[in-house]
Amino acid sequence: MTQEIITEIIGKYEPDQSSLIAVLQDVQEHFGYLPKDALTDVSKELDVPLSRVLSLATFYSAFSLQPKGKHPVHVCMGTACHVRGAQPVLEAFERELGIKDGETSEDLEFSLDTVRCVGCCGLAPVVMVGEDVHGKISQSKVSRVTKKYKK
Ligand code: FES
């Protein structure tokens, strides 16, 4: 199944290493992350060593080798958010979700990542859950925000 999807993705591009980033972007968009099998297939089909594929996949922070949660939580750690208390907010999410920055919950419901400025500094500190922007977040609001997305 994975192989068929990879073949289809690669079919849209030149079948060589110049297409590697574009192919990885499409693979990530399709699966929500870069599954190991998919990287092996990309390596074979584009005739690029797996070590090169892996080093690109780990170099760019937009790529993830871990599955992301159904509700990706992004805590902004840009300057405006940082000075208005983003760090304690991040720690509150870590406690509330039981995962650390960069991790995904076992039930695949939530993942937690930090980002640099999401462009709403006036609402700092800001947290995004999927496409939803939550501004002026404080530690005490974290539980209310996560409750909205829990099953
Ligand atoms: S620094 Fe957080 S939105 Fe700009």
Side-chain angles (χ1 to χ4, degrees):
M1 187 62 186
T2 309
Q3 169 98 51
E4 284 166 28
I5 292 160
I6 299 303
T7 305
E8 196 183 314
I9 289 173
I10 288 175
K12 300 193 296 185
Y13 300 98
E14 289 296 312
D16 59 40
Q17 76 165 339
S18 67
S19 307
L20 186 52
I21 290 187
V23 166
L24 292 181
Q25 280 169 335
D26 283 10
V27 172
Q28 165 121 343
E29 198 177 309
H30 184 88
F31 295 100
Y33 75 113
L34 300 174
K36 200 122 196 214
D37 288 358
L39 295 182
T40 309
D41 292 340
V42 168
S43 156
K44 280 190 203 138
E45 297 220 15
L46 291 183
D47 197 21
V48 178
L50 184 58
S51 57
R52 166 113 182 95
V53 177
L54 279 170
S55 76
L56 257 185
T58 48
F59 179 77
Y60 290 103
S61 58
F63 293 134
S64 173
L65 297 176
Q66 304 296 328
K68 289 293 168 189
K70 187 168 139 201
H71 305 294
V73 177
H74 289 105
V75 179
C76 180
M77 299 297 279
T79 308
C81 290
H82 183 73
V83 297
R84 293 203 174 93
Q87 184 63 36
V89 167
L90 172 65
E91 288 163 13
F93 271 104
E94 289 181 335
R95 283 193 300 275
E96 183 71 27
L97 300 174
I99 51 176
K100 295 277 179 204
D101 178 17
E103 293 180 350
T104 300
S105 61
E106 262 175 40
D107 61 4
L108 298 180
E109 282 294 304
F110 291 94
S111 50
L112 181 61
D113 288 284
T114 52
V115 286
R116 296 279 158 203
C117 193
V118 293
C120 336
C121 307
L123 296 175
V126 176
V127 170
M128 292 196 66
V129 183
E131 299 293 310
D132 302 340
V133 176
H134 298 273
K136 301 199 187 295
I137 288 286
S138 61
Q139 275 177 289
S140 59
K141 290 182 185 163
V142 165
S143 152
R144 207 179 318 148
V145 168
T146 52
K147 211 168 268 167
K148 266 184 76 174
Y149 300 93
K150 284 188 174 162
K151 287 191 269 187

